[in-house]
Amino acid sequence: MESWRRHPLVFWAMGLPGIFWLIVFFLVPLGFVWLMSFGEKRGIVDIAITGTLENYLRAFDPVYLGILFKTVRISLIVTLLCIVIGYPVAYVIAFSPPKVRTWLLLAIMLPFWINMLIRTYALIAVFRTRGYVNFTLEWLYGLLRLDALFGPFQPLPMLYNEFAVIFGIVYVFLPFAVLPMYAAIERLDRSLLEAAADLGASRFHTFLTITLPLTRSGIASAVLLVFIPALGSFLIPELLGGPNAYMIGNVIAAQFKKANDWPFGAALSFLLMYATFAILAVRPLLVRRAAKGEGAR
């Protein structure tokens, strides 16, 4: 840090390009969208910035509140599933031999090499009426001669509903949960686990009293990395969900693309952003509490 203070020109020479990029291509467009949220739609393409709060008040209509609550519910379910599924995976990776650990980490990061749109379309082939899942179930149904007892096989409705949306979001964001939890478990002081074993604690008791509390920071990071993107998801619900599985991201996209009501879409976007900022403000409190717990031990 002192070296940067001794050579401020070097610091500014390295930092200015990135700062310029963020200001011009992120903050300035974001500012225009924020101003647009206080505007009124006049005609097809004309928008007048009048300072009105009508767009924000309209967002509290029961219809949009219902979609928002559904979005929060789906996002919470997705986050819980990612933590429950991802923590054992991260635990196994952290305690694997170094050579095996490298391959397991590669398997976790492999989905990042494939475009999310392609992965989502692949789920359509898996879940559709004549997809791989229903085809396999139909084959097992016939193999076990269940048609004689229950009649012909009826394909499961696995697409264009909330199940498909939840599964798709978990499928896409699970690596974002595994990696921070793995980092937290990998940094764990193994001598504490050995001491607990020497004192006669069972593995389950050691996990509940030592491993889990000391890796809360990784769990908190995983919650944020999954919950916040899940709130704004619109591509996965658009492709895998039906009309009853639309999330707030789909409503925002529809305001910009179909309804051509940019002020209302901007207001919805910033309400979602304000909620995101509120969630981000909670993380330092959780990390600080976890740090106090570690210090007490």
Side-chain angles (χ1 to χ4, degrees):
M1 188 69 182
E2 291 296 329
S3 61
W4 293 113
R5 291 176 180 175
R6 291 175 187 173
H7 306 283
L9 291 178
V10 177
F11 172 78
W12 286 110
M14 295 181 64
L16 276 178
I19 294 173
F20 175 80
W21 181 275
L22 286 175
I23 291 175
V24 173
F25 296 103
F26 179 72
L27 292 180
V28 172
L30 197 64
F32 280 126
V33 176
W34 182 73
L35 288 175
M36 196 184 302
S37 67
F38 298 98
E40 295 180 6
K41 177 185 175 183
R42 294 180 178 176
I44 299 178
V45 294
D46 293 335
I47 297 173
I49 308 299
T50 59
T52 180
L53 296 176
E54 181 63 28
N55 297 310
Y56 288 97
L57 295 176
R58 183 182 166 194
F60 289 95
D61 185 276
V63 174
Y64 300 111
L65 283 179
I67 297 175
L68 179 61
F69 290 147
K70 183 195 300 181
T71 300
V72 173
R73 176 172 56 81
I74 291 176
S75 300
L76 287 173
I77 294 173
V78 165
T79 304
L80 179 62
L81 288 174
C82 284
I83 298 300
V84 171
I85 298 171
Y87 195 95
V89 175
Y91 189 90
V92 169
I93 295 175
F95 284 89
S96 297
K99 291 183 179 180
V100 178
R101 187 185 311 162
T102 302
W103 287 104
L104 291 177
L105 284 174
L106 179 63
I108 293 297
M109 292 184 287
L110 194 61
F112 292 119
W113 299 0
I114 305 172
N115 187 275
M116 186 177 70
L117 181 62
I118 297 175
R119 286 184 283 158
T120 306
Y121 271 116
L123 287 180
I124 296 177
V126 173
F127 286 149
R128 61 188 178 185
T129 304
R130 297 299 300 171
Y132 298 121
V133 173
N134 276 315
F135 179 80
T136 303
L137 291 176
E138 184 178 11
W139 177 77
L140 290 174
Y141 195 85
L143 183 67
L144 297 175
R145 304 292 183 180
L146 296 178
D147 50 347
L149 296 174
F150 304 105
F153 174 78
Q154 298 296 327
L156 298 179
M158 305 182 69
L159 201 58
Y160 307 124
N161 49 39
E162 281 194 15
F163 165 79
V165 173
I166 292 172
F167 190 97
I169 299 177
V170 170
Y171 169 66
V172 169
F173 291 120
L174 184 60
F176 292 97
V178 172
L179 293 177
M181 290 191 292
Y182 158 75
I185 298 172
E186 202 273 335
R187 292 195 304 266
L188 189 65
D189 188 355
R190 307 294 174 87
S191 62
L192 297 175
L193 306 181
E194 295 173 359
D198 292 339
L199 293 173
S202 64
R203 291 187 177 182
F204 182 71
H205 189 260
T206 301
F207 174 77
L208 289 181
T209 57
I210 296 178
T211 306
L212 194 60
L214 293 181
T215 55
R216 280 185 297 184
S217 61
I219 296 175
S221 298
V223 168
L224 290 179
L225 289 175
V226 174
F227 183 72
I228 292 176
L231 276 178
S233 296
F234 73 95
L235 177 63
I236 297 173
E238 182 77 24
L239 297 177
L240 301 181
N244 295 326
Y246 262 33
M247 298 173 65
I248 195 66
N250 301 102
V251 177
I252 294 172
Q255 299 306 314
F256 283 99
K257 295 168 59 178
K258 298 177 182 178
N260 200 30
D261 193 351
W262 289 29
F264 182 53
L268 287 175
S269 301
F270 269 89
L271 283 176
L272 191 61
M273 186 176 295
Y274 299 148
T276 301
F277 288 156
I279 296 169
L280 288 174
V282 175
R283 184 183 183 278
L285 299 177
L286 296 176
V287 173
R288 197 176 306 162
R289 184 176 299 177
K292 287 182 180 179
E294 294 176 12
R297 285 180 174 82

